[in-house]
Amino acid sequence: DLLFKVEDKVAVVTLNRPKRRNALSLQLMLDLIDCLGEIEENRSIQAVILAAAGNVYSSGHDLSEMTGRTVGEYRRIFDVCADLMTKIQSIPQPVIAEVQGTATAAGCQLVATCDLAISAEHATFATPGVRIGLFCTTPMVALSRAVGRKRALHMLLTGEPVDAPTAAQWGLINSFVPASPLEAAPQ
């Protein structure tokens, strides 16, 4: 579910659950935390690219893990998610989101948490929980820090997707490029 390679002092970590829309399962989040911990200790690695396989960057939490659980199990999922976001920000290497497709809910939070973000020009970003009677509370923190309170609330209260040009204008991503040269974009 997670691929890892090092190219010229840059770690490339790829979410590899395309059939599950790169949903952040509990195990995937734990694996990411462990991987980032290993990167943190390897001072020869100077930067991290957080990429994803398939058409979706990340659809957020794995909804199959979000039904029929105990309060303790839900708390564990959200605590691990918070630990992952903290880990991204605490390692000494900059973490760059390479967004090739849609990033929703906790997937949008993942993008907002990274130090830098570059997306394909067709990528979209959303916090659509409100459309099914939920409020994306955890993405709200990183999102409001990246785009400001009013824009974050617009995303959180409407669930409407934001396109890459708007995401760049708002500060959610640094820039967007045509999809084919995404991997070749300056890091």
Side-chain angles (χ1 to χ4, degrees):
D1 290 346
L2 193 64
L3 303 175
F4 174 79
K5 65 182 176 180
V6 177
E7 297 176 352
D8 299 323
K9 299 183 181 184
V10 176
V12 180
V13 180
T14 304
L15 306 178
N16 191 33
R17 298 183 75 208
K19 291 181 181 178
R20 299 287 303 161
R21 301 173 50 91
N22 293 311
L24 299 174
S25 67
L26 178 60
Q27 188 59 55
L28 180 58
M29 291 187 293
L30 290 167
D31 291 346
L32 267 170
I33 291 168
D34 289 345
C35 183
L36 291 168
E38 291 175 22
I39 291 168
E40 178 179 27
E41 298 301 318
N42 186 344
R43 297 307 168 117
S44 69
I45 296 175
Q46 296 179 353
V48 180
I49 295 174
L50 187 54
N55 297 326
V56 175
Y57 183 73
S58 177
S59 60
H61 288 292
D62 189 332
L63 295 181
S64 70
E65 294 183 347
M66 303 304 288
T67 57
R69 305 288 177 161
T70 67
V71 170
E73 290 170 322
Y74 288 125
R75 184 171 289 129
R76 170 122 168 89
I77 290 168
F78 290 121
D79 285 349
V80 169
C81 184
D83 291 346
L84 171 60
M85 301 306 163
T86 300
K87 187 60 144 177
I88 289 169
Q89 293 186 330
S90 70
I91 67 172
Q93 299 91 341
V95 180
I96 305 159
E98 181 184 284
V99 185
Q100 87 298 1
T102 302
T104 58
C108 189
Q109 176 184 7
L110 194 61
V111 174
T113 300
C114 287
D115 300 302
L116 301 170
I118 298 172
S119 82
E121 64 189 342
H122 66 270
T124 57
F125 306 86
T127 52
V130 70
R131 293 187 173 191
I132 57 170
L134 301 173
F135 185 76
C136 292
T137 305
T138 54
M140 175 181 65
V141 175
L143 191 59
S144 62
R145 288 178 180 157
V147 303
R149 182 176 158 284
K150 301 271 187 188
R151 290 174 173 155
L153 283 172
H154 173 81
M155 291 179 72
L156 291 159
L157 296 175
T158 67
E160 294 172 1
V162 172
D163 61 19
T166 302
Q169 179 187 5
W170 287 4
L172 179 57
I173 61 173
N174 297 86
S175 62
F176 59 93
V177 297
S180 57
L182 180 61
E183 289 185 10
Q187 303 303 335

